[in-house]
Amino acid sequence: MPLKEKLQQELNSALKAHEDLKRLVLSSLISAIHNKEIEKRTVQKLQEAAELTDEEIIKVVQSEIKKRKEAAELYQKGGREELAQKEKDEINILIQYVPEQMNEEALRKIIKETIQETGAKDLPAQARIKEMGKVIASVMTKVKGQAEGSEVSKIVKEELSK
């Protein structure tokens, strides 16, 4: 079943079960997906509706998770624990709709392999940093939503500076 249909069914279930937080989170997610579809249609200058692929929907979900993580951090810094907890609860709902995140060990292995494939390790220190973008892009296509870009970037930088 396409992810968009699954989200709509989950929203309907949350409405019937009076799960207010889940209903709120899913309706805002579906709205964000709809906005992305409008953006896609506008960019591609299409007359008919543009549907997002499951992969594109996962990117929208990850974006929503990232927004909530940032908000939770800001609330914690401001001493607003109850609001930070609400954001964390929303993250726990959203996280169900993205692929399971890769552990650091597996991610590090893929990054090391990619560095070898690109030949970035054999370059002088200054040139390695310039190759960082290519390595990150290559890794991100391999992990397809199973790792956050910030985590990939951090590990690539560590590996290239060794």
Side-chain angles (χ1 to χ4, degrees), residues 85-114:
Q85 187 57 49
K86 181 180 179 287
E87 296 293 335
K88 289 175 184 174
D89 293 342
E90 290 180 12
I91 290 169
N92 289 334
I93 292 170
L94 289 170
I95 220 152
Q96 299 169 30
Y97 305 104
V98 293
E100 189 173 325
Q101 296 296 293
M102 193 175 283
N103 66 25
E104 186 177 337
E105 185 179 314
L107 181 58
R108 199 170 285 276
K109 182 178 181 226
I110 290 173
I111 289 171
K112 286 179 180 179
E113 290 170 0
T114 306

Side-chain angles (χ1 to χ4, degrees), residues 75-86 88:
Y75 284 137
Q76 281 183 319
K77 286 179 184 174
R80 302 292 308 268
E81 286 301 320
E82 70 283 354
L83 293 174
Q85 187 57 49
K86 181 180 179 287
K88 289 175 184 174

Side-chain angles (χ1 to χ4, degrees), residues 56-72:
E56 291 170 321
I57 291 173
I58 288 170
K59 287 181 182 177
V60 173
V61 177
Q62 288 173 326
S63 172
E64 293 297 311
I65 290 171
K66 184 177 179 184
K67 286 178 192 175
R68 284 166 175 80
K69 281 182 180 177
E70 290 169 355

Side-chain angles (χ1 to χ4, degrees), residues 37-38 40-51:
E37 289 174 338
I38 291 171
K40 183 178 180 180
R41 184 176 65 217
T42 305
V43 168
Q44 295 179 354
K45 297 183 175 139
L46 301 173
Q47 297 300 323
E48 69 280 350
E51 292 285 321

Side-chain angles (χ1 to χ4, degrees), residues 15-33:
L15 281 166
K16 290 176 184 173
H18 301 289
E19 296 172 320
D20 292 334
L21 183 63
K22 188 171 185 178
R23 178 191 53 80
L24 178 72
V25 171
L26 290 176
S27 62
S28 71
L29 176 60
I30 290 170
S31 177
I33 291 168

